[in-house]
């Protein structure tokens, strides 16, 4: 082990790179061991199994996304904050498709509570304060934004918009404009 310098962090980062190259679903401890030219057993002091490795990659992705989101939101409010936050997700998914997929991994409640996932929710709620939404509308809006962002990004990454005009950037911009208008005029129950 010492000759290749295996650490949990190094394996997680390498697993994240592997996810970006071959897809998150294809990440296994065996594939990671091949990358380091070591036996699978050499990794077990750092990761329990492939699910544990995937969980670590998911936690890394959530933290990276939260850090980017936090930086993008600094000093912004309203539509500027909404657009910056949405673009963080879209840009991250384009740069790191495997990690983006990892960020969608369903975590057990304890792991989720300790993850950066809570920071994502806090940032989304901070954006929504600029739209003067109260509960339960704020929770509905958090779910709406997550659904629209993830749905659009997933369809775009999957090539769902690649066969027709106009350009997807134009549609993305109009989608964010529509979300902003909806949030400013949130319907009464």
């Amino acid at each position: 082990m010492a000759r290749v310098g295996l650490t949990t962090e190094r394996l997680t980062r390498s697993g994240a790179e592997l996810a970006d190259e071959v897809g998150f679903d294809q990440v296994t401890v065996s594939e990671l061991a091949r990358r380091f030219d070591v036996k699978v057993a050499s990794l077990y002091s750092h990761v329990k199994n492939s699910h544990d490795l995937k969980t670590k990659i998911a936690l890394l992705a959530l933290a990276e996304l939260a850090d980017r989101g936090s930086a993008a939101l600094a000093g912004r409010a309203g539509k500027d904050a909404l657009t910056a936050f949405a673009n963080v997700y879209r840009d991250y998914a384009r740069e790191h498709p495997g990690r983006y997929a990892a960020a969608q991994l369903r975590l057990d409640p304890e792991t989720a509570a300790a993850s950066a996932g809570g920071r994502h929710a806090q940032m989304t709620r901070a954006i929504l304060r600029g739209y003067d939404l109260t509960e339960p509308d704020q929770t509905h809006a958090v779910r709406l934004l997550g659904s629209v962002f993830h749905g659009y990004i997933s369809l775009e990454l999957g090539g769902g918009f690649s066969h027709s005009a106009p350009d997807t950037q134009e549609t993305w911009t109009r989608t964010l404009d529509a979300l902003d208008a909806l949030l400013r005029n949130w319907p009464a129950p």
Side-chain angles (χ1 to χ4, degrees):
M1 264 190 300
R3 69 179 167 77
V4 293
L6 296 179
T7 65
T8 303
E9 181 180 348
R10 186 168 179 216
L11 291 172
T12 301
R13 291 209 171 273
S14 185
E17 291 168 10
L18 180 62
D20 288 337
E21 292 167 19
V22 301
F24 183 61
D25 291 339
Q26 303 305 313
V27 173
T28 64
V29 173
S30 298
E31 188 58 40
L32 196 56
R34 278 191 281 282
R35 235 177 212 232
F36 284 96
D37 196 29
V38 297
K39 295 187 184 309
V40 172
S42 300
L43 305 186
Y44 287 139
S45 61
H46 305 286
V47 293
K48 296 175 194 167
N49 51 38
S50 290
H51 180 72
D52 183 46
L53 173 61
K54 287 183 175 186
T55 299
K56 289 177 183 346
I57 295 167
L59 294 173
L60 172 69
L62 287 169
E64 288 176 343
L65 267 168
D67 290 346
R68 287 184 182 200
S70 180
L73 288 177
R76 294 195 164 129
K79 184 179 178 189
D80 287 341
L82 174 69
T83 300
F85 193 61
N87 286 335
V88 162
Y89 280 85
R90 187 173 181 225
D91 293 345
Y92 187 82
R94 288 171 155 183
E95 292 170 34
H96 301 292
R99 292 179 207 202
Y100 181 77
Q104 312 311 312
L105 182 69
R106 185 179 184 140
L107 302 172
D108 67 75
E110 185 178 310
T111 303
S115 77
R119 288 175 56 202
H120 294 262
Q122 289 171 347
M123 287 184 283
T124 306
R125 287 182 184 279
I127 291 166
L128 293 173
R129 281 195 294 272
Y131 292 98
D132 201 28
L133 295 178
T134 58
E135 286 300 343
D137 291 331
Q138 196 176 85
T139 297
H140 295 310
V142 167
R143 292 172 180 167
L144 172 71
L145 293 178
S147 299
V148 171
F149 296 166
H150 181 64
Y152 189 95
I153 291 165
S154 295
L155 288 168
E156 184 178 39
L157 286 177
F161 303 140
S162 62
H163 304 295
S164 62
D167 181 70
T168 59
Q169 180 58 44
E170 182 180 339
T171 306
W172 178 249
T173 300
R174 292 185 71 166
T175 299
L176 297 179
D177 289 345
L179 285 172
D180 174 63
L182 173 65
L183 293 170
R184 280 188 281 108
N185 300 295
W186 191 263

